[in-house]
Amino acid sequence: MAIVEVRTPLRRIALPVLAVLVSVGVWMSANGAAGVASPLPRAVVLAVVVASGTAVALARVRRWPLFAVAAVGWPLLAAWPIPAAASLLAGLWLRGRRRIVAYLAGAVLVTAIGVLVGWAAGGHRQITIATPGNVLTLFAWLVLLPLVIGLWTRARRDTVGALRDRAEQLEREQLARVEQARAEERARIAREMHDVVAHRVSLMVVHAGALEVTSADSAAVETASLIRSTGRQALADLREVLGVLRGAAGPVPPPGLSEVDVLIQESRTAGLRVDRHDEGIPRPLPATVGRTVHRVVREALTNVRKHAPDADTTVSLRYLSSGVEVGVRNGPAIGGSALPGAGLGLIGLRERVELLGGRLTAGPYGGGFLVRALLPTEEPE
């Protein structure tokens, strides 16, 4: 990419620089500093100089003025820079064998006219451009060599362009294969999740429903109803996740701040003693911040249910001037057995909070445990 960025400005200034060099070269050639001095008036020489520079500068848009000035400038002034520039640009831009042959035929014709003019002028002019040896040498140096350089440069540029296009095509194909492999892997994961998790959760829901219908104990019926509704919600969430994995559904809008009370109510129904405490003036939060607050509360309450299900828990939400602070604190566990955990929930939660420019702390507090996240609500400058 850096090479392309460098080459683009160079190509933009190449013709203007070449136009200046040709103009200076034609002037020096006509004055004898780099060629045969011309006896023509300075006004004529200056006109050819200006025409040469202009023709080269506009060669990308109009090519015939460049060839016309070269055809006039060589017999008139024996100015070698303009035919050399014309041959170079002809090799770069003329496509097809017929056009190249036509250009060479035109160059031979102009050279022949120059020989006639040189014989007519005599002196140094005749020796320089009209003797056989010099004619062949000048034709080789001013026509053939620049033309070959232009053809070689164009062939190399076309080859590099073809290789670059091929590399880009291979990269696109590689990305397509990677995406296909990812899609196949997602489909495989979705099938395995459906076969294992969905089947077992469905059995759990069925047994909970049967227990709800057949049990005579009101507490057991209430517990079975909670298990059944929670299982159905888990199945619905699982279907949404599987749909995303299979690519058969659009993105599932995650819950936000408004669903925090639902989490608290579900935890109360499951037997947790949870209170909510808000500070500050409530205000709408950005969607990303609201979703992160929801995830902090959900992960913290899940950990409480696993490790301290009999502890008093407080969910606090404090609105600050430039952010919001959410905290979930539970007291010491009185008894009961803790459920196993992978220990990765808080790690992923900390990464999510830090992506928003926030800070998360989690650790023992007052004999219990505290999870607290500070989230900014303004975009960092």
Side-chain angles (χ1 to χ4, degrees), residues 12 51 60 134 149 197 236 244 274 285 293 321 347 360 368 371:
R12 291 178 180 175
R60 194 180 299 276
N134 286 345
I149 293 175
V197 181
V244 173
V274 185
L285 299 177
V293 169
S321 59
I347 296 177
L360 183 136
V371 176

Side-chain angles (χ1 to χ4, degrees), residues 343-354:
L344 300 178
L346 290 177
I347 296 177
L349 195 62
R350 177 174 285 105
E351 293 175 352
R352 188 180 297 274
V353 170
E354 290 176 352

Side-chain angles (χ1 to χ4, degrees), residues 15 22 45 97 100 204 221 281 340 355 365:
L15 280 182
V22 168
V45 174
R97 184 177 301 177
I100 297 297
M204 181 183 68
V221 170
I281 302 176
L355 282 176
Y365 183 85

Side-chain angles (χ1 to χ4, degrees), residues 279-332:
E279 295 182 15
I281 302 176
R283 66 180 185 275
L285 299 177
T288 54
V289 175
R291 290 194 294 267
T292 304
V293 169
H294 182 275
R295 289 188 174 95
V296 170
V297 175
R298 183 179 63 185
E299 178 65 25
L301 291 179
T302 300
N303 289 337
V304 172
R305 287 198 297 268
K306 288 181 178 179
H307 305 292
D310 53 359
D312 293 328
T313 305
T314 301
V315 177
S316 60
L317 192 65
R318 188 155 63 106
Y319 293 91
L320 306 174
S321 59
S322 59
V324 62
E325 183 184 73
V326 57
V328 179
R329 178 176 59 85
N330 64 274

Side-chain angles (χ1 to χ4, degrees), residues 207-216 220-222 224-226 228-229:
H207 287 298
L211 179 63
E212 183 181 3
V213 173
T214 59
S215 178
V221 170
E222 182 179 356
S225 176
L226 174 61
R228 182 171 58 85
S229 62

Side-chain angles (χ1 to χ4, degrees), residues 74-75 106-116 129 135-136 138-139 143:
W74 177 251
V108 170
L109 179 60
V110 172
T111 302
I113 296 174
V115 170
L116 296 177
I129 68 172
V135 170
L136 295 177
L138 291 174
F139 189 85
V143 177

Side-chain angles (χ1 to χ4, degrees), residues 109-377:
L109 179 60
V110 172
T111 302
I113 296 174
V115 170
L116 296 177
V117 173
W119 279 102
H124 291 289
R125 182 71 172 272
Q126 177 182 354
I127 297 174
T128 303
I129 68 172
T131 56
N134 286 345
V135 170
L136 295 177
T137 302
L138 291 174
F139 189 85
W141 281 98
L142 301 182
V143 177
L144 296 181
L145 181 61
L147 184 64
V148 170
I149 293 175
L151 291 173
W152 177 82
T153 303
R154 186 185 69 189
R156 181 180 178 277
R157 184 177 58 195
D158 293 344
T159 302
V160 172
L163 292 176
R164 185 183 297 111
D165 294 340
R166 178 60 176 167
E168 292 176 355
Q169 180 181 357
L170 291 176
E171 184 177 358
R172 289 193 297 267
E173 293 176 355
Q174 177 66 18
L175 290 176
R177 286 193 293 268
V178 170
E179 289 299 327
Q180 182 180 1
R182 288 177 179 173
E184 293 175 355
E185 181 66 14
R186 287 197 298 266
R188 185 188 65 81
I189 294 173
R191 288 193 299 269
E192 293 182 358
M193 290 179 65
H194 181 271
D195 293 341
V196 178
V197 181
H199 176 68
R200 294 185 182 276
V201 175
S202 298
L203 288 178
M204 181 183 68
V205 172
V206 171
H207 287 298
L211 179 63
E212 183 181 3
V213 173
T214 59
S215 178
D217 187 358
S218 60
V221 170
E222 182 179 356
T223 302
S225 176
L226 174 61
I227 294 174
R228 182 171 58 85
S229 62
T230 303
R232 286 181 174 177
Q233 182 62 40
L235 284 175
D237 295 341
L238 183 59
R239 280 194 297 270
E240 291 176 348
V241 173
L242 294 181
V244 173
L245 286 175
R246 292 192 182 105
V252 180
L257 183 61
S258 60
E259 302 295 326
V260 170
D261 286 333
V262 177
L263 290 176
I264 294 176
Q265 185 58 40
E266 290 177 350
S267 298
R268 288 172 179 170
T269 305
L272 290 182
R273 298 190 298 273
V274 185
D275 293 326
R276 175 171 175 174
H277 179 66
D278 290 0
E279 295 182 15
I281 302 176
R283 66 180 185 275
L285 299 177
T288 54
V289 175
R291 290 194 294 267
T292 304
V293 169
H294 182 275
R295 289 188 174 95
V296 170
V297 175
R298 183 179 63 185
E299 178 65 25
L301 291 179
T302 300
N303 289 337
V304 172
R305 287 198 297 268
K306 288 181 178 179
H307 305 292
D310 53 359
D312 293 328
T313 305
T314 301
V315 177
S316 60
L317 192 65
R318 188 155 63 106
Y319 293 91
L320 306 174
S321 59
S322 59
V324 62
E325 183 184 73
V326 57
V328 179
R329 178 176 59 85
N330 64 274
I334 298 175
S337 58
L339 294 176
L344 300 178
L346 290 177
I347 296 177
L349 195 62
R350 177 174 285 105
E351 293 175 352
R352 188 180 297 274
V353 170
E354 290 176 352
L355 282 176
L356 298 179
R359 185 176 68 256
L360 183 136
T361 57
Y365 183 85
F369 201 83
L370 172 64
V371 176
R372 179 166 55 192
L374 178 61
L375 299 166
T377 55

